[in-house]
Amino acid sequence: MMRSNPPTLSPDLFDMRPRDIDLGPGVRFLRGFALPDGQALLASLALVTLAAPFRHMVIRGGRRMSVAMTNCGSLGWVADESGYRYDPTDPRTGNPWPEMPDVFCNVAIRAANAADFDGFAPDVCLINRYEAGARMSLHQDRNERDFDQPIVSVSLGLPAVFLWGGSSRTDRPRRILLEHGDVVVWGGPARKTYHGVHRLSAGDHPLTGRFRYNLTFRMAG
Ligand code: MD3
Ligand code: FE
């Protein structure tokens, strides 16, 4: 009898994962949702970063973030010694942030719709770049104006262990593997949950080399 799929040649530890992960009310995990757009997203990302290069922001207290960041859209997330904010201007260049590429916006809106959010119109795409050792400690995202709107995240390149905590920083987080093409829509009661990213392991991804990128789409203004 013909098989519709050839057998995999290498054992994949993650073949045992459930197809859909339930992260509780308000969260929709869309595994592989952005896979068909992966290359287009990365090509547009490269253009954005020509105008607004990745940089390691310095947070209050003087520490440099291990994750390199940039933004596109009418606003961008920035950190400096005075705190966090959304700003229409890239402090590094003095220019407005680059426009959000259509392919970015389209994926984000389609994902929000798939998760039953209507009217998602992101004005910010924060772009995070992780290399081996880079991590993001547990935090809440609370600089946005309207918490009824979700955040849409798109993972590209090397996989990372995402830490999904609770309503308190001290709640023990669950560990979720986020891989190339995975999209998660975080809304409703999940919106203020503590979350972070475990330090990235070294690797070599066919499309992104030694990096992991994460795009987070927000309605901030
Ligand atoms: C849940 N980024 O940029 S994406 C961030 O992979 C951030 O770079 C991580 O946390 C990353 O703020 C995680 C998933 C994510 C993003 C925002 C959220 C989950 C969220 C906001 C509220 C709840
Ligand atoms: Fe966050």
Side-chain angles (χ1 to χ4, degrees):
M1 210 173 89
M2 284 279 287
R3 295 175 63 115
S4 51
N5 288 308
T8 45
L9 295 175
S10 57
D12 181 350
L13 281 173
F14 300 112
D15 273 350
M16 302 296 284
R17 287 173 312 170
R19 185 169 295 280
D20 295 299
I21 298 175
D22 186 358
L23 295 173
V27 187
R28 277 290 269 285
F29 190 101
L30 303 169
R31 187 188 296 290
F33 187 88
L35 272 178
D37 299 301
Q39 274 164 298
L41 289 166
L42 289 165
S44 289
L45 189 156
L47 294 178
V48 165
T49 59
L50 285 180
F54 281 111
R55 78 291 307 268
H56 293 271
M57 297 186 193
V58 173
I59 57 175
R60 210 164 16 205
R63 270 188 310 135
R64 168 188 183 270
M65 299 182 79
S66 58
V67 178
M69 297 175 164
T70 186
N71 294 274
C72 59
S74 53
L75 292 170
W77 186 87
V78 293
D80 62 22
E81 301 274 3
S82 67
Y84 312 123
R85 65 180 184 280
Y86 285 100
D87 199 309
T89 304
D90 178 351
R92 210 43 74 91
T93 61
N95 297 328
W97 297 101
E99 243 181 81
M100 201 181 297
D102 285 342
V103 62
F104 275 36
C105 205
N106 289 342
V107 169
I109 290 171
R110 278 193 283 115
N113 290 343
D116 301 318
F117 286 95
D118 291 329
F120 186 62
D123 50 10
V124 177
C125 176
L126 169 63
I127 307 171
N128 294 153
R129 187 188 71 188
Y130 296 75
E131 57 192 313
R135 60 189 284 275
M136 194 174 283
S137 53
L138 287 177
H139 66 278
Q140 294 171 298
D141 288 26
R142 52 181 176 197
N143 294 117
E144 301 77 25
R145 198 172 49 81
D146 180 0
F147 289 105
D148 291 336
Q149 288 293 342
I151 289 181
V152 174
S153 78
V154 178
S155 292
L156 297 170
L158 289 179
V161 174
F162 175 70
L163 304 171
W164 184 232
S167 53
S168 152
R169 196 191 295 276
T170 54
D171 290 344
R172 189 185 162 84
R174 279 178 69 184
R175 296 163 157 251
I176 317 290
L177 191 73
L178 291 180
E179 295 179 287
H180 179 73
D182 288 348
V183 177
V184 193
V185 182
W186 317 84
R191 188 62 180 72
K192 286 184 183 163
T193 305
Y194 278 92
H195 60 278
V197 178
H198 196 263
R199 66 190 174 79
L200 197 82
S201 298
D204 184 14
H205 189 275
L207 296 179
T208 67
R210 61 195 182 90
F211 296 114
R212 169 184 187 251
Y213 299 99
N214 182 266
L215 316 177
T216 51
F217 295 90
R218 301 141 187 267
M219 284 175 75

